[in-house]
Amino acid sequence: MTVKTFSPNATTTLETPVKTLEAQRAPVSTGNGNRIGFVSLGCPKNLVDSERILTQLRTEGYDVVPTYDDADLVIVNTCGFIDSAVQESLDTIGEALQENGKVIVTGCLGVKEDEIREVHPNVLAITGPHAYETVVEQVHTHMPAPQYNPFENLVPDHGVKLTPRHYAYLKISEGCNHRCTFCIIPSMRGDLVSRPVGSVLDEAKRLKAAGVNELLVISQDTSAYGVDVKHRTGFWNGMPVKTHMQQLSEQLGTLDMWVRLHYVYPYPHVDELIELMNAGRILPYLDIPLQHANKRILRLMKRPGSAERTLERIKKWRQQCPELILRSTFIVGFPGETEDEFEELLTFLREAQLDRVGCFMYSPVEGATANNLPDPVPEAVKQERLARFMEVQGEISAARLQARIGKEYQVVIDQVDSEGAVGRSYAEAPEVDGVIHLNGVYDVKPGERVWAEIIHADEHDLWAVLSEDQDD
């Protein structure tokens, strides 16, 4: 289900949940008054919340679909990270009300109930993020319980997933202890709460048994996993395992799956993860949200690090692990950012030679302390800086992808369309990075892995042909 009235410059909403729900939907309405339309907006962390809500609803026998058509009620899981995401959420709620009339709102924007009700006073109920039980209780209040035989419609042990069968997001913690001045996530999701390490590893094992062969490890601050419990020792398979990113990664690396790390702050112990990557235990792919390069702007953001130290570490990491792929995100137009400070960011990009980069213009989200900083950057200047940033990074990305021409990679197939197969190597995460096109290749299935040689590249995507030798 996609909102029709919103045309964002940038949000964090993923496309996969709609496609996956569509594939899972019942062919016709049961007519029993228990069909729920579900919209999942926002990032992978929000997607995991949606999966947990859907798992409970499906367990109770509700039919969940990605459409307003024939739905007896609609749930909208909202995002509130940036202004464009807030507007997308509000527009989606409005569309659901117009098309259906019975709407429950949950997710990050749900913590601003007054703001939602000011625009949409007729929503049935509003809850905040990771309020799974409360959402289900509201469904019980406004819909009849289905006549359900659990022995006829079993929910798998790994629950309902909103990703293709071959990959899944593994959320290891909730909340964040940082107080970045541009971010309001802690006010929405609270301080860091790490999941027990045994519980995380058990979930990973269940996912593998269900056919998943790629885990995307996510949280608000993946590097901080276990800080809240002082890295206490847990147990898995009868073995002691510390609640720590490095030991968790070591154990995930024993499951014979692709393990991809996202939202990794560059704490000192990240160096140990590079060693695991070089040894082939986890994918040599690191998603580090650096946000800026100028020291003064980083201090205003309440972000750690400096450009010089970061460049030194990147150089060291690449020496340790030559196949390492680095992804990051940045903010341009932060309050007070001068032209010289922006140019320093561009210089950093040229020196760092990051493989994949995302960029947002600063958005004065309600509640962010950065809104009170002096010298806001005019909108036109932010737009111009974003364009210059993406032009520089586009040149870097194109050159780094050109360097991959002639090399062979193992490619996991994500889909097959009219032009052929579309997949990714270890160097591409789903939805946020580019893809590898295998034009004319049709006799493969999603989740299958093949060897392919890169023959062409642009700024974002790659094109490849199947290698003659397909042995692992």
Side-chain angles (χ1 to χ4, degrees):
M1 189 188 313
T2 304
V3 62
K4 304 167 187 173
T5 58
F6 184 68
S7 299
N9 291 325
T11 72
T12 56
T13 295
L14 307 177
E15 296 180 0
T16 300
V18 176
K19 298 176 183 177
T20 306
L21 265 180
E22 182 65 36
Q24 295 175 356
R25 69 179 296 183
V28 294
S29 174
T30 60
N32 294 328
N34 55 28
R35 173 168 279 211
I36 298 174
F38 200 99
V39 187
S40 183
L41 305 175
C43 65
K45 288 152 288 196
N46 221 35
L47 176 65
V48 173
D49 290 349
S50 293
E51 290 175 338
R52 291 178 180 174
I53 295 169
L54 288 173
T55 296
Q56 184 59 41
L57 292 174
R58 287 265 178 85
T59 299
E60 296 183 8
Y62 291 97
D63 180 17
V64 184
V65 295
T67 176
Y68 307 122
D69 301 337
D70 298 325
D72 302 290
L73 180 148
V74 175
I75 298 174
V76 180
N77 192 6
T78 60
C79 178
F81 179 57
I82 54 177
D83 277 355
S84 56
V86 171
Q87 190 60 52
E88 181 186 30
S89 294
L90 291 173
D91 283 357
T92 303
I93 295 166
E95 183 178 302
L97 285 168
Q98 179 180 347
E99 299 292 331
N100 184 277
K102 298 178 67 175
V103 179
I104 292 174
V105 176
T106 187
C108 288
L109 190 60
V111 300
K112 299 182 178 180
E113 180 170 354
D114 292 344
E115 182 177 330
I116 295 173
R117 290 203 179 276
E118 183 178 348
V119 181
H120 302 300
N122 296 325
V123 296
L124 297 178
I126 300 173
T127 72
H130 53 87
Y132 323 121
E133 294 180 357
T134 306
V135 174
V136 175
E137 288 172 1
Q138 290 298 330
V139 171
H140 294 163
T141 300
H142 297 285
M143 292 185 68
Q147 297 296 317
Y148 178 62
N149 184 345
F151 299 104
E152 293 180 358
N153 299 285
L154 296 177
V155 173
D157 289 342
H158 62 278
V160 175
K161 309 305 292 182
L162 290 177
T163 50
R165 184 172 182 262
H166 59 281
Y167 72 82
Y169 294 100
L170 182 68
K171 188 194 280 190
I172 63 174
S173 65
E174 189 58 80
C176 183
N177 287 343
H178 291 289
R179 294 298 183 263
C180 301
T181 59
F182 56 82
C183 181
I184 57 173
I185 292 298
S187 67
M188 295 177 170
R189 293 184 173 266
D191 290 337
L192 176 71
V193 178
S194 299
R195 292 180 60 192
V197 66
S199 175
V200 174
L201 291 167
D202 282 342
E203 180 179 352
K205 192 174 181 179
R206 288 194 300 271
L207 289 169
K208 177 179 172 60
V212 171
N213 57 31
E214 179 179 1
L215 292 175
L216 298 100
V217 179
I218 60 170
S219 66
Q220 301 298 333
D221 179 2
T222 299
S223 306
Y225 178 65
V227 167
D228 55 313
V229 294
K230 299 181 180 179
H231 301 301
R232 70 182 172 214
T233 299
F235 288 87
W236 185 61
N237 285 350
M239 297 171 49
V241 183
K242 282 190 175 181
T243 313
H244 189 280
M245 190 65 238
Q246 194 245 352
Q247 291 204 15
L248 173 64
S249 297
E250 284 183 357
Q251 295 303 317
L252 290 173
T254 67
L255 296 177
D256 191 27
M257 305 167 74
W258 280 7
V259 178
R260 190 184 301 277
L261 304 182
H262 287 276
Y263 316 117
V264 179
Y265 287 73
Y267 300 150
H269 66 262
V270 171
D271 294 349
E272 300 168 358
L273 299 177
I274 305 299
E275 295 177 7
L276 290 177
M277 294 176 182
N278 194 49
R281 300 285 291 277
I282 60 178
L283 291 183
Y285 178 102
L286 203 55
D287 176 5
I288 301 181
L290 296 172
Q291 308 301 4
H292 213 278
N294 175 264
K295 188 174 294 186
R296 188 184 76 89
I297 295 298
L298 286 170
R299 283 200 300 267
L300 290 176
M301 291 179 170
K302 289 194 175 179
R303 298 281 297 184
S306 70
E308 294 81 6
R309 288 200 300 272
T310 300
L311 288 171
E312 288 175 3
R313 295 186 75 192
I314 288 174
K315 181 180 179 180
K316 177 183 175 183
W317 292 340
R318 284 175 168 156
Q319 288 172 344
Q320 284 182 272
C321 184
E323 300 301 313
L324 178 65
I325 295 293
L326 290 173
R327 171 180 174 78
S328 190
T329 52
F330 295 87
I331 296 173
V332 298
F334 191 79
E337 181 189 59
T338 66
E339 178 63 22
D340 286 345
E341 289 166 338
F342 174 70
E343 284 289 347
E344 185 178 334
L345 174 57
L346 297 184
T347 298
F348 173 84
L349 279 183
R350 295 185 181 102
E351 294 182 6
Q353 292 289 300
L354 302 172
D355 299 275
R356 301 288 188 180
V357 170
C359 186
F360 292 91
M361 294 189 303
Y362 174 74
S363 176
V365 180
E366 182 181 352
T369 57
N371 299 340
N372 301 321
L373 293 172
D375 304 319
V377 177
E379 198 68 22
V381 176
K382 288 194 284 188
Q383 292 275 6
E384 186 265 345
R385 288 179 181 172
L386 176 63
R388 286 162 58 195
F389 180 102
M390 296 310 298
E391 181 180 2
V392 169
Q393 181 56 38
E395 294 172 357
I396 295 168
S397 177
R400 295 193 71 80
L401 292 179
Q402 285 288 325
R404 292 171 62 182
I405 293 177
K407 297 182 179 180
E408 291 190 352
Y409 295 89
Q410 191 176 49
V411 176
V412 59
I413 304 301
D414 282 335
Q415 63 178 355
V416 181
D417 58 26
S418 60
E419 295 185 356
V422 181
R424 298 171 291 106
S425 72
Y426 80 90
E428 292 86 32
E431 299 218 47
V432 295
D433 295 332
V435 297
I436 298 177
H437 299 275
L438 291 162
N439 290 348
V441 176
Y442 299 99
D443 57 344
V444 290
K445 297 178 180 179
E448 185 177 344
R449 293 183 187 174
V450 297
W451 284 94
E453 179 185 344
I454 306 300
I455 59 171
H456 178 69
D458 62 16
E459 291 184 4
H460 305 288
D461 294 343
L462 297 153
W463 282 257
V465 294
L466 291 179
S467 302
E468 291 185 7
D469 186 1
Q470 288 296 319
D471 292 336
D472 287 340

